[in-house]
Amino acid sequence: MTSHAHDSHDAGHGHGEHGHNPFLAHHFDDPEQQFDSGKLGIWLFLVTEVLFFSGMFCAYALYRSLHPEVFTFASQYLNETLGAFNTGVLLFSSLSMAWGVRCAQLRQRTGLVICLAITLGCAAMFLGVKAIEYTHKWDLGLLPAGEYISQFLQPAHHAGISPWLYYLSAVPALCVLGFAAWYVVAVTTGQKRTAEVAGPLLVTALCYFLGVFVGIAFQNAEAASKAAEHGVAEHGVAEHGVAEHASVAHDEGHDHAGDERDDVMLVSHSDVPVVPGAPELAAVDQAGGAGVFFSIYYCMTGVHAVHILGGMAVLAWLLVRATKDHFNEEYFGPVDYVGLYWHLVDLIWIYLFPLLYLIK
Amino acid sequence: MSEHKAHGGKHHGFAHPASVKSLLLVFFSLIFLTWLTVFQSTLELGSAELVVSLFIATIKATLVILFFMHMLHDKPLNAIVFLSSFIFVALFLGFVLMDAHGYKDSYEFKNVDSAPKIVKTTE
């Protein structure tokens, strides 16, 4: 195993005392010192991440303390089941990442490749579910403040697959094709190591679509149970009161919804239960109210999703290095550092999930 | 660091591999706590809801930090560095929220997208 690392790497540094570790940089005394320095560095980076996210948590805390009723109102549009499912997926990816660090420390090359593949797959599945959540909200007009469409003014259209989903899925679809071709070429030409990289990457791209299908299944189940609950096919929009209006306005088409605002207001006015002492629902259900909640929601979950994408990029890099058998009990720093970053991304989601999805 | 360590297989130098048992135990605890936080959201806890859900989230975060991030076996300096960030987060949020209600008026609803009609109907 190690002989392979020797042969394929002409690492110029650190060959004197520690010939078995080609990755020891010359300015470090020994692998442990190198590891400790890197570790302190990654912890410092995580500090900047925590502080960076705290800005968004601050916006959240400020707005929630001033307008708790907006959060109660807007949170009903977030799909709790999908949020909980995604929490489980991320926790599992954290488990496989931590297990991967263990594999690296024990020189279990195959184990590490498998753990990294599972972590990557979970990350892609998380994004697939997120794509369903996002596109469904875009269809309903649950957008950031400037674009937010009042839910009681305009009936939500649509069940079925959002056109946005096709755009979002274009990149993963290309990845599936590309990685599949790469994998087939690697296997047919007998490049075992390349196949070990292309295979997990193909599975990762496919996991995105697995997440999409899981998301669609949960969403349909939820819409069906809601429809059954209300006895109206209301496509899982807001819960109360608007059912009768929605069915009327639905026939007229969305573009004309604005003409009927007076009717809507009357309906929502009388039928919708409002938090006592809180502003009218019409005030909450508008760009300056719920729209700001969705600005915060997209900002926090979006930046989190960007971190997932970044994590996937470095995980892919680790995967390549793992197949080259670079890691051992003296040199597992990169796996450990990426692991720490990955767990931090998980940590942030641990807070985001109850704070955004579970408000009652 | 010494030669025999690297090849022994039993000793892992400065590496402290976590046991599979502890990793699985932490994972299932985290899943249980996720279930618990979803369950508590169905209860009518009123204003305590936020506190309870944040408390559960903090237990989960602690488990992740201590075991998945190996802080339990890490150097104290790393723990101090990382945990000190939360002091600054607390200062940040604390000071912002302290006088938030002093400028509450500027955060009143703007009715940005509404036709004047709506304002009339509601007020």
Side-chain angles (χ1 to χ4, degrees):
Chain A
M1 274 180 158
T2 28
S3 61
H4 173 73
H6 276 288
D7 298 338
S8 56
H9 295 282
D10 55 329
H13 313 305
H15 259 290
E17 197 182 342
H18 302 279
H20 54 276
N21 198 335
F23 297 109
L24 180 62
H26 65 85
H27 51 283
F28 291 113
D29 289 342
D30 55 51
E32 185 171 10
Q33 192 194 34
Q34 179 170 3
F35 173 75
D36 287 341
S37 311
K39 189 120 175 177
L40 178 60
I42 198 75
W43 278 115
L44 283 169
F45 170 65
L46 295 190
V47 167
T48 67
E49 288 284 280
V50 168
L51 295 175
F52 163 61
F53 270 96
S54 77
M56 283 173 280
F57 279 101
C58 187
Y60 175 96
L62 184 61
Y63 198 55
R64 187 164 178 181
S65 81
L66 294 175
H67 288 299
E69 72 281 356
V70 169
F71 285 75
T72 315
F73 169 80
S75 176
Q76 67 176 313
Y77 296 104
L78 302 190
N79 192 324
E80 234 173 70
T81 321
L82 290 182
F85 177 79
N86 255 353
T87 308
V89 168
L90 268 199
L91 289 176
F92 188 69
S93 78
S94 259
L95 170 70
S96 63
M97 189 69 232
W99 202 319
V101 174
R102 180 191 143 85
C103 289
Q105 291 168 333
L106 296 176
R107 288 198 195 199
Q108 296 168 343
R109 179 183 170 281
T110 314
L112 177 57
V113 170
I114 291 170
C115 282
L116 292 173
I118 293 173
T119 311
L120 273 167
C122 286
M125 210 199 294
F126 178 91
L127 292 177
V129 173
K130 208 88 207 104
I132 290 293
E133 289 189 73
Y134 273 5
T135 52
H136 186 63
K137 284 181 190 61
W138 297 345
D139 280 348
L140 296 180
L142 297 165
L143 294 160
E147 308 295 323
Y148 181 81
I149 296 166
S150 296
Q151 296 300 299
F152 288 91
L153 292 185
Q154 178 157 341
H157 50 309
H158 109 98
I161 293 171
S162 161
W164 291 108
L165 189 60
Y166 294 109
Y167 295 116
L168 277 189
S169 302
V171 175
L174 286 176
C175 286
V176 169
L177 294 178
F179 291 141
W182 191 24
Y183 181 68
V184 169
V185 168
V187 169
T188 48
T189 55
Q191 294 169 285
K192 192 164 166 288
R193 196 188 65 73
T194 311
E196 278 178 319
V197 175
L201 290 180
L202 173 61
V203 171
T204 300
L206 288 172
C207 275
Y208 168 86
F209 290 99
L210 182 61
V212 165
F213 290 127
V214 167
I216 290 173
F218 274 132
Q219 203 135 53
N220 286 346
E222 191 134 314
S225 75
K226 245 176 202 168
E229 215 173 279
H230 294 287
V232 191
E234 223 246 293
H235 308 314
V237 199
E239 302 166 345
H240 317 288
V242 274
E244 64 235 67
H245 177 75
S247 54
V248 174
H250 197 266
D251 302 332
E252 320 241 340
H254 332 297
D255 299 330
H256 308 294
D259 305 337
E260 303 171 73
R261 283 184 171 179
D262 285 321
D263 299 341
V264 183
M265 292 321 302
L266 289 174
V267 173
S268 58
H269 212 122
S270 52
D271 293 355
V272 179
V274 184
V275 184
E280 296 285 344
L281 187 104
V284 172
D285 180 25
Q286 48 108 0
V292 178
F293 171 88
F294 281 101
S295 295
I296 293 172
Y297 165 81
Y298 283 115
C299 195
M300 295 183 97
T301 57
V303 170
H304 180 266
V306 168
H307 277 77
I308 298 270
L309 282 173
M312 289 174 80
V314 280
L315 280 166
W317 168 69
L318 281 187
L319 181 67
V320 172
R321 293 196 64 181
T323 59
K324 290 180 180 170
D325 203 16
H326 283 186
F327 303 115
N328 55 57
E329 66 285 332
E330 296 226 309
Y331 183 72
F332 56 88
V335 187
D336 205 10
Y337 309 152
V338 171
L340 285 175
Y341 167 80
W342 193 254
H343 297 311
L344 187 90
V345 174
D346 188 23
L347 264 191
I348 288 160
W349 184 259
I350 283 174
Y351 280 97
L352 285 183
F353 171 57
L355 285 177
L356 291 171
Y357 289 77
L358 299 180
I359 305 166
K360 281 281 154 26
Chain B
M1 276 162 278
S2 47
E3 291 297 318
H4 63 274
K5 270 186 183 173
H7 306 289
K10 295 266 194 311
H11 304 283
H12 310 295
F14 53 90
H16 303 286
S19 72
V20 169
K21 205 172 128 193
S22 74
L23 291 179
L24 287 176
L25 200 64
V26 170
F27 171 69
F28 286 113
S29 313
L30 288 169
I31 292 294
F32 168 74
L33 288 167
T34 304
W35 172 81
L36 190 68
T37 196
V38 172
F39 173 72
Q40 67 89 21
S41 77
T42 62
L43 304 174
E44 297 290 328
L45 293 177
S47 56
E49 183 226 299
L50 180 63
V51 179
V52 173
S53 63
L54 280 181
F55 180 68
I56 296 174
T58 304
I59 297 175
K60 290 168 76 179
T62 310
L63 283 176
V64 170
I65 291 173
L66 285 184
F67 297 99
F68 282 174
M69 297 170 96
H70 315 296
M71 191 174 266
L72 212 52
H73 301 289
D74 209 340
K75 296 225 167 359
L77 174 66
N78 291 338
I80 292 167
V81 164
F82 184 63
L83 296 179
S84 68
S85 71
F86 295 104
I87 297 173
F88 291 101
V89 171
L91 279 175
F92 180 28
L93 292 188
F95 275 104
V96 168
L97 291 178
M98 207 186 277
D99 68 342
H101 290 263
Y103 50 90
K104 195 177 195 309
D105 293 350
S106 60
Y107 275 82
E108 286 310 315
F109 294 123
K110 299 284 197 298
N111 279 321
V112 184
D113 69 339
S114 64
K117 268 185 195 171
I118 293 179
V119 183
K120 277 174 201 155
T121 347
T122 52
E123 283 173 0

